[in-house]
Amino acid sequence: MKKLTLLFAILFNSFAFSQDFQITNTGVYSVDIPALDVYNGNASLLFGTNYWFYSFDEDGITSPIDQPIQPSPTAWGPHNPTINIGKNNGYISSVYIDPVFSADTYYLLNYVQSLDGGQNWSSPMTIDTIEIGSSISTRFDSPQAIATNNNNLFILRFSFKNSQDTTAIYLSNYNGPKIRVDENAQEYEWAMSMFVVPNTTWESVYITYVENNTIYLKKIDYSFGGEYTSYERKPITYLGQVFMQYDNFTKLLIDSNGKMYLFYNYYPSAGVYLVTSTDEGNSWTNPQKVINSPNQWVNDYVSFNITSNDILTMVTHNTDNGNVYSKSSINGINWTETAYQVNSSNGTVVDFSFQNSVLIGNTHLATAWIDNRTGNEEIFYSKFEIPEVPSTSIHQNEVVDKFELSQNYPNPFNPSTEIKFSIPQDSHVILELFNTLGEKVATLIDKEMSAGSHNYQFSISNYQL
């Protein structure tokens, strides 16, 4: 096995690193995990503590917001509120679980909407009864909501003890019929996920969930006329004899060619796995562990997205060191070489949701989290460039007969450039970055690589240059 060191010097223009911003100014000891969406240059954020709503420029703010808006003054400590913005009309919707204290305490799934950017809100409309009893069962995956380009709002939730229905998963749009998802399940279902694929006259809603240690896929088609077709669920993978709990997750993504990516974690394995399908979920690859946990940059709280040009992204909270990181991939297996740290104050992230990162086009992500750098728990926010995908082999059938490092292009550049190199045999490759003074700036690659032509997408956003 050869060991090859590639010395590489480049020129680059100045680059403004992404910043994070304190959004709230509550001055209290504890706040809830925020919900976030971004539309047409504005970010909208709310969280369950007192149910406050914040609206600000997607690029950040100059000072915290002291006077937020309360979408529903009657909401009493709502659980797991969502926020979703219609991508064609800009209407803001929120779904939340709210307790009602009476002779029989029960928990309602309520819905509110704003037509003017969050300044004024509708009166709460009850969609469902989630649970009856003195307390609500803890889980992070319910409710979920997705606003589509066709101005539909799909709402997924788990009802524990509904007086009119059995315990089950249900799907509806905000004013449409309620559909049972889990087909007469005999066990509690966990780790729900939802992905919507638009079509010409209908929208396909794909749902994943875990029942009796097996992950299932369910498809429901909604026509624009209000009709729906529910298909038989399909098993994806058996998890073995494991103990599912409230913070386990599945996350389904579908690319522009219909390929399905399912990420999931489960206790006690402590990691994130991936299976894929190219035939509408009829067959799946064997599970592959893509994230070890814990390690230097990731833990169990991971938020995945996919861009319209099929770049996979993750934003994750490392609970060991208190930071939020981001990576990207083109296949779900190989991720950005160096994780990009999102928060600027090291070690101050308190909590983060695995549903809490938002794509802004195909170039940027936004996320929000609970942070204690001020001495209290406040909500912080950041918009940042999607990290470049890792190096990938090109011209895999090409015969390479010599070591070669090509000039990066473009050069000068801002903020990214492509580095191409070829190796004629399997080798340990070290790719190092030097400035014009001959000083080493960073090590980009230090690993075994197979023979062939390779490229490496380098972005300044991953390095403090």
Side-chain angles (χ1 to χ4, degrees), residues 435-460:
N435 62 22
T436 55
L437 300 178
E439 301 167 330
K440 187 171 78 170
V441 175
T443 299
L444 307 181
I445 298 176
D446 186 357
K447 65 179 182 180
E448 304 294 332
M449 299 189 73
S450 58
S453 297
H454 299 261
N455 67 355
Y456 182 88
Q457 297 292 333
F458 172 78
S459 176
I460 299 175

Side-chain angles (χ1 to χ4, degrees), residues 292-362:
N292 290 313
S293 177
N295 62 35
Q296 64 179 357
W297 60 273
V298 70
N299 211 297
D300 290 334
Y301 302 99
V302 189
S303 178
F304 292 98
N305 280 294
I306 187 167
T307 66
S308 62
N309 58 350
D310 299 337
I311 299 298
L312 301 164
T313 69
M314 71 163 73
V315 180
T316 176
H317 175 210
N318 184 340
T319 56
D320 292 332
N321 67 14
N323 294 320
V324 173
Y325 298 96
S326 181
K327 285 194 171 188
S328 67
S329 173
I330 58 172
N331 59 13
I333 303 298
N334 301 310
W335 293 83
T336 308
E337 299 286 342
T338 302
Y340 173 68
Q341 183 173 322
V342 176
N343 54 301
S344 64
S345 179
N346 198 47
T348 59
V349 177
V350 176
D351 211 346
F352 173 82
S353 169
F354 51 74
Q355 302 183 56
N356 201 22
S357 65
V358 179
L359 287 170
I360 303 177
N362 288 329

